[in-house]
Each structure stands twice: as structure tokens, then as C-alpha cells.
Amino acid sequence: MSHNHQESDFFPSQDKFAEAFSKFTFDLSMDEVSAKVQECIDKHYKELDTRENVNLIHSMIDLTSLTSEDNEDKIYHLTQQVNKLDDEHPDITPVASICVYPNFAQVIKENLTVEQCHITCVAGGFPSSQTFPEIKEAEIALAIHDGAEEIDIVLPVGAFLAGDYQSVCDQLQEQRQAAKDVILKVILETGALQTPENIVKASILALFCDADFIKTSTGKGYPGATPEAIYIMASIVKQYYDQFGLKRGIKAAGGVRTTEEALKYLCILKEVLGDEWLTPELFRFGATSLEADTLKHLL
């Protein structure tokens, strides 16, 4: 993905945020969104419920370990689990990445033998985004130095909810620069944003700050991914693509545990964005237990 940052210079004046928001339309209530989601599922679930698509879901997973109990041994074993599956079942497409705290990037780099699988690190003061901007940027740089190929950061939700969009964009743009050319996913924390209007605005800000992906949740302390949040985010990604010709990805994270749930997200993507988005390059699941559930269907 190219990062010439031309959109990042979009905001020229104090009315810039109102101007940016005005380029997008989304006027559904959460109840109306829920009804739309159900329509997507009713329309597409049966045709998408195939072994091929369960394998696709497996290939979209950022296999995640983000707990206080993580240690080098645990991350080593997680990495070997990915290696072993690839060796023994080459017909199953590997997970998209292994997602860990930055201090474990090197463990994966030294042990991962599956070329298709990337190293993702959460950074930038994950999960609260509450620390000094300099620390956020340094953490991103250190993670990349140790092998991170993708970085997941958190939109400053407190500043966003206070209406301080300038601070939100300044921080996101500085972290985008620190991430250089690696894939950058911006977590909106949709469970804290709650309303369609907030999810729409946060999506727009993240996209204009050159996020490669917008992601629902940290999975820490707030409700995780919901089909409703993904429907709203997909609608904004579609409008962004229609206006600027730039394809941006979406990541559903937090609480997606079963293959059946994951298939419902594919139904939404297919309806709102089309088959082009049904690829690990443009859609991910941040998950721990989903991987084991997909393997029940694949092995």
C-alpha cells in the first residue's frame, strides 16, 4: 500500500473537520443498522457457508496473544503451532499474522518459518492510548526494529469524545510517520464510541490520517466487535474508496469466537463492499479462539 500521505494534508482550516465529515453520509440508527445486518446475513450466509470460506476465514486471522501472562516461552509455542500446522496441512492457508506485544516481536521473527504469516504488534500505548506521544512513536519504532511488519494502534478515544479532533489527528499522523511503510491498523474502540455517528466520525478521521485498516476494538475493557460496527465501518470504507480510489481494510477484533459468527461478517463485507474485500489484504479477524474453531471444520 502506498503512503504518500496526500490525504493527511487534507485538513486546511478550522472547519476542516466539518468539511471532511460532510463528504460522507450515514444516517441510520443502530436499530436500523441491525436490520441491515440481518438482511446481509439472510441474503448471503447460505452461499458463503463453504469449506473454502472457512479456510478464507482462517487466512484472515491475526492470531492474538495479549495478556499479562505472556512470556517468551508462550509466544514461542504459539509460533511453533503456526509452523506445525503449515508443515502438516499445507492445504490450509496460514493465519495472516501473529499479534503480540512489541517485546515479543523478536521471538516470532527468530522462530516463524511460514512466509505468508506476518508479525503484528500492538503499540502506541495500547490498549488505552494514554501516554506521551513521544512514547507512542518510540514504541512503534522499536517494534518495527524488532521485526513487526504490521502495527495496531488505538485512536485517542478520550480526545475524540471531547471533540478534540485536532489532537486525535495530530497523534495519528505522528504515529503513521513513525510506522513508515508498514501496515498500520487504527483501533476505533467502537464499544466506547457506542453511536453510529461516533463510529462514522472516528472512521473518517482514521482514514484521512492514512490508516491502512480501521479496526473495531482492543478486546480490553470495552465490548468487542459487533456486526453493526463492521457494517458502519464498511459503509465509510466504501464511500472513501468511491471518492478517493483508495482501498482500505477493516479488522473485527474482540469476541469473534466461532466460524458461524465470522461468516456473518463476511456476509456484511460481500453486501457492502463486494467480493474484492473478501481477502486477508483487506479484512482481518483479531482472534484467539476463532482459529481453533475454524480448524474443527477444516481438519
Side-chain angles (χ1 to χ4, degrees):
M1 297 190 181
S2 62
H3 298 298
N4 50 18
H5 302 284
Q6 83 258 25
E7 315 87 53
S8 305
D9 306 322
F10 176 79
F11 306 113
S13 68
Q14 199 32 55
D15 297 323
K16 56 200 169 183
F17 300 112
E19 187 189 335
F21 298 146
S22 74
K23 289 179 178 289
F24 297 79
T25 54
F26 193 91
D27 50 13
L28 301 178
S29 70
M30 203 59 99
D31 285 344
E32 289 169 321
V33 173
S34 295
K36 290 280 189 192
V37 164
Q38 194 55 53
E39 285 174 25
C40 298
I41 294 165
D42 292 343
K43 184 173 174 182
H44 296 296
Y45 191 91
K46 201 171 279 186
E47 62 168 306
L48 289 176
D49 187 10
T50 65
R51 188 183 192 282
E52 187 186 354
N53 284 323
V54 177
N55 183 54
L56 176 64
I57 288 166
H58 187 270
S59 77
M60 292 171 160
I61 293 172
D62 288 342
L63 185 60
T64 302
S65 190
L66 296 170
T67 74
S68 303
E69 300 99 71
D70 288 347
N71 54 46
E72 291 191 4
D73 197 42
K74 185 180 170 189
I75 303 307
Y76 169 80
H77 284 293
L78 187 66
T79 306
Q80 293 296 11
Q81 178 187 315
V82 172
N83 292 339
K84 183 168 182 262
L85 183 72
D86 192 54
D87 288 340
E88 296 177 1
H89 299 279
D91 58 310
I92 298 174
T93 312
V95 292
S97 79
I98 303 173
C99 178
V100 294
Y101 283 112
N103 46 313
F104 298 116
Q106 200 154 1
V107 177
I108 305 174
K109 187 180 180 181
E110 288 169 0
N111 295 286
L112 183 64
T113 57
V114 183
E115 277 183 32
Q116 275 172 276
C117 182
H118 297 288
I119 303 168
T120 297
C121 287
V122 296
F126 178 95
S128 66
S129 191
Q130 301 284 21
T131 187
F132 301 103
E134 296 84 354
I135 298 218
K136 296 180 183 184
E137 293 155 48
E139 190 177 29
I140 291 166
L142 288 165
I144 293 169
H145 177 267
D146 272 9
E149 299 160 292
E150 304 187 0
I151 296 285
D152 291 20
I153 63 169
V154 187
L155 179 129
V157 177
F160 175 86
L161 292 174
D164 188 357
Y165 303 138
Q166 189 63 58
S167 173
V168 170
C169 290
D170 287 347
Q171 290 190 54
L172 291 181
Q173 287 172 336
E174 283 160 8
Q175 291 177 79
R176 168 76 269 177
Q177 285 172 341
K180 299 184 176 157
D181 290 328
V182 308
I183 298 286
L184 185 72
K185 308 188 199 103
V186 175
I187 302 164
L188 308 181
E189 200 67 282
T190 52
L193 300 179
Q194 297 185 336
T195 68
E197 184 187 13
N198 280 341
I199 296 170
V200 164
K201 286 181 174 178
S203 298
I204 293 166
L205 295 180
L207 291 170
F208 275 128
C209 291
D210 217 6
D212 293 304
F213 279 72
I214 49 175
K215 173 178 168 182
T216 56
S217 323
T218 58
K220 309 283 179 192
Y222 294 96
T226 63
E228 287 78 9
I230 290 293
Y231 183 92
I232 297 164
M233 290 158 66
S235 301
I236 299 306
V237 165
K238 174 76 166 71
Q239 292 181 51
Y240 187 79
Y241 174 64
D242 288 345
Q243 292 184 61
F244 302 105
L246 297 166
K247 286 184 179 173
R248 295 298 184 238
I250 301 171
K251 179 172 171 178
V256 185
R257 294 189 176 90
T258 69
T259 306
E260 291 72 24
E261 285 173 72
L263 280 165
K264 291 177 181 178
Y265 287 98
L266 296 194
C267 294
I268 296 165
L269 282 186
K270 184 177 175 72
E271 181 65 23
V272 180
L273 284 159
D275 289 340
E276 285 176 79
W277 259 262
L278 297 180
T279 162
E281 281 71 49
L282 291 169
F283 192 74
R284 298 286 180 83
F285 292 101
T288 305
S289 49
L290 175 62
E291 202 241 354
D293 194 75
T294 58
L295 292 178
K296 284 184 204 165
H297 298 264
L298 294 171
L299 292 174

